[in-house]
Amino acid sequence: MRATISARAKAYWESAMSKRRRRFKQSRSLEERLAAEAEHLREKAVKAPPGTERETLLRRARQFEEGMHMSEWLRTPGLQ
């Protein structure tokens, strides 16, 4: 038995299927982009006065570095 869908659901799916995602090719690797962002955040943290904002910038820089290491680790031949 085939289920029928409402006209509203059909219109939604047809409009969703006709939209195209904007795609572009990255010029730098993920690790390079993460390292650059971590460096940028560390530079901002050096200029920021001690306090909450500085700690937030340093925490985000560490997160980017952890992401960089995790990405490198996931691309090792032993895991593939």
Side-chain angles (χ1 to χ4, degrees):
M1 183 171 147
R2 185 175 175 174
T4 60
I5 59 173
S6 68
R8 176 187 254 172
K10 185 177 180 181
Y12 170 78
W13 285 109
E14 286 175 354
S15 68
M17 296 301 285
S18 65
K19 291 181 183 177
R20 299 192 61 102
R21 278 182 54 187
R22 291 177 26 186
R23 297 175 187 241
F24 57 95
K25 191 128 177 133
Q26 295 290 344
S27 59
R28 299 185 310 172
S29 71
L30 175 62
E31 289 85 8
E32 290 173 338
R33 288 179 282 141
L34 290 171
E37 186 61 25
E39 183 179 342
H40 172 72
L41 289 170
R42 286 201 185 277
E43 289 172 0
K44 282 180 69 173
V46 167
K47 295 176 186 174
T52 316
E53 182 182 353
R54 181 183 218 166
E55 294 303 317
T56 302
L57 290 169
L58 290 172
R59 185 175 341 119
R60 288 188 60 217
R62 282 191 300 272
Q63 288 173 343
F64 277 105
E65 288 171 348
E66 289 171 6
M68 179 183 62
H69 294 304
M70 197 177 310
S71 178
E72 289 172 351
W73 178 73
L74 288 170
R75 291 196 313 149
T76 58
L79 293 174
Q80 294 176 357

